Amino acid sequence: MGKLKKHSVLIALTAAIIIIVVMSTSIYAKKDQGTFYVRDLQGSREAIEDAVISGELRDGYHQTSFRIESGLVKTNTELFDQPMYAAPNQPLTWGAKLINGVEYYISNGGPVFEVVASKRVRSAWIPAGTATVNLPVNYQKSSLNENDNDNSFTYTNHLEYGLANIGEKVYFTLPTTTDYTGNNGIYELKFSDNWGYRAITGDSGK
Amino acid sequence: MKAYYRLLQYEFSTWFRAIILLCIVAIIVPLYLLYSAVKDYNEYSVTERFENIYASSGSILVFLVCLAAACVFFLKTIYASYWGSKSIYMYLSLPVRRESIYFSKLTVFVICLLLLFGAQLISIKLGYELVLSKIESYGEGQFSMANGLFLAFIRSDFFRMIMPFSFSGVLSSICILLTIVTSLYYGALCERSKRYWWLTVIGAAVIIVLKVLSYRMSESLHIVTPSHLYPSSIILLLISGFFMWHSIKLIKNGAIA
């Protein structure tokens, strides 16, 4: 006991270092203890044997990428060095679509449609560009109901379903019904600065 | 080196009882607070995340109180050589290098703070086991969060300060610890040697430490990179270096007698 007391400072130092190191490695090792497994609910697993399903589950602080291949699940968890604000993947308003982290908002109206692209700065969406599409379509109401004499339009779907992207380019087409006459097309959107309208688009192809 | 080690051992023997008491407090009191926070949980109560239970039960305050008590005890060990037996004269007349006197006190304080950190980590782990066993005891365990301790450590700002998992975080935490330790000792030495104007540098250090702490408590709301912490860490290292150099100079001059 006397020998221990004579060197108590070294014992205290090693005890403190051991505790801190053991705790931090055990907690860091827990990053691989998240539960990811494939459970068969209905049907046979061989049906998806050739398909590779991959994705990631993340919040602002870490992400777990998983890969399901021939029935086996492989996961890989990594911590972010810098915590980020976890933005939701779904835009919160109708008329808006999130593509590649930029939100595109289509205003509803007329034969001229305006698409506003907004980027996220801190926690707000700041408009970064506008594009307008002028479609030579006419809406002819074919219903014979005389009470419907307002100037409303109908579409087959919400307007933002007409937005799509290939790589970096964004395209728009109008989801029309059979009541339309004229030319519809797939337009490539060219965005300009916020103020000042530019004339539109690319070619109207099918 | 042998003289330094003997001084170290002597200083630690004066600290021993205090630090054991503080570690016991840091382990036992949060366990009791967590127990009283979750003892009424049942199937119909809203189950919070562990880090929110930990914060709202006041266990973070317990850690800060223990840290403050350790700092006060450190100041007491410095001032004890001036009251009562005036052992400062004995210290200055020892046949050792004056740096050993400075570094032995500083090192013992750092070792005791490391012991406090270790006790805090043990208390967090035990507290988690306590809360988990309580949550699993009702509703067939369907309310327990999988891997909750790991998620608590990476999501909570307080836990990320005492155990960071990124290099910039570790560097920043070490710099804050070093600044607190050296500035306390420097303040006491300046006051004892009646060089009061140098205390303003401590003010600058306090401002920087507070800014770093307030940034790290809300890290996810800023859009920055990890290297954002490097300038403040470097400034804190420079300030600590200045404190160490000037303190040794004051001791060597004998100005503190």
Side-chain angles (χ1 to χ4, degrees), chain A residues 6-8 27 30 59 61, chain B residues 5 9 147 153 155 160:
Chain A
K6 258 181 69 174
H7 297 282
S8 56
I27 287 177
K30 279 192 208 286
D59 66 357
Y61 301 96
Chain B
Y5 182 67
Q9 183 55 44
N147 221 2
F153 263 99
R155 285 176 179 162
R160 270 212 326 275

Side-chain angles (χ1 to χ4, degrees), chain A residues 59-100:
Chain A
D59 66 357
Y61 301 96
H62 73 305
Q63 84 176 10
T64 306
S65 2
F66 62 90
R67 198 177 161 86
I68 303 178
E69 214 168 354
S70 41
L72 296 171
V73 187
K74 287 189 222 140
T75 62
N76 176 33
T77 313
E78 57 180 54
L79 289 177
F80 292 150
D81 266 345
Q82 177 66 26
M84 307 189 289
Y85 176 72
N89 221 7
Q90 196 73 347
L92 298 171
T93 51
W94 281 120
K97 187 163 182 171
L98 204 61
I99 299 178
N100 285 343

Side-chain angles (χ1 to χ4, degrees), chain A residues 23 30, chain B residues 31 34 38 50 122-136 149:
Chain A
M23 287 292 304
K30 279 192 208 286
Chain B
L31 278 179
L34 284 172
V38 296
F50 174 64
I122 294 180
S123 117
I124 294 174
K125 172 101 171 104
L126 290 178
Y128 179 71
E129 299 296 330
L130 181 85
V131 168
L132 188 68
S133 71
K134 176 68 188 168
I135 292 181
E136 280 179 346
L149 188 62

Side-chain angles (χ1 to χ4, degrees), chain B residues 113-124:
Chain B
L113 283 184
L114 286 179
L115 273 176
L116 193 62
F117 272 127
Q120 176 69 14
L121 292 176
I122 294 180
S123 117
I124 294 174

Side-chain angles (χ1 to χ4, degrees), chain B residues 50-155:
Chain B
F50 174 64
E51 62 266 23
N52 294 337
I53 301 178
Y54 196 81
S56 62
S57 67
S59 309
I60 298 184
L61 286 177
V62 171
F63 173 69
L64 292 177
V65 162
C66 289
L67 198 63
C71 294
V72 165
F73 190 79
F74 178 60
L75 287 177
K76 177 240 173 208
T77 62
I78 298 177
Y79 278 92
S81 8
Y82 294 89
W83 307 327
S85 62
K86 302 275 192 289
S87 50
I88 182 67
Y89 296 106
M90 179 205 66
Y91 269 119
L92 291 180
S93 61
L94 281 176
V96 300
R97 299 169 49 140
R98 294 277 171 96
E99 290 94 330
S100 312
I101 305 175
Y102 176 75
F103 277 118
S104 64
K105 277 206 155 74
L106 204 68
T107 321
V108 166
F109 189 30
V110 168
I111 293 178
C112 293
L113 283 184
L114 286 179
L115 273 176
L116 193 62
F117 272 127
Q120 176 69 14
L121 292 176
I122 294 180
S123 117
I124 294 174
K125 172 101 171 104
L126 290 178
Y128 179 71
E129 299 296 330
L130 181 85
V131 168
L132 188 68
S133 71
K134 176 68 188 168
I135 292 181
E136 280 179 346
S137 68
Y138 56 83
E140 289 120 23
Q142 58 179 312
F143 295 105
S144 66
M145 188 190 279
N147 221 2
L149 188 62
F150 170 68
L151 290 176
F153 263 99
I154 62 172
R155 285 176 179 162

Side-chain angles (χ1 to χ4, degrees), chain A residues 115 128-132 189-199:
Chain A
V115 183
T130 338
T132 49
L189 298 177
K190 292 204 172 11
F191 288 91
S192 63
D193 286 339
N194 230 350
W195 21 100
Y197 278 86
R198 301 271 150 208

Side-chain angles (χ1 to χ4, degrees), chain A residues 149-165:
Chain A
N149 53 358
D150 52 313
N151 284 332
S152 63
F153 289 78
T154 56
Y155 310 105
T156 49
N157 216 334
H158 285 273
L159 275 178
E160 65 265 22
Y161 281 85
L163 275 178
N165 73 314

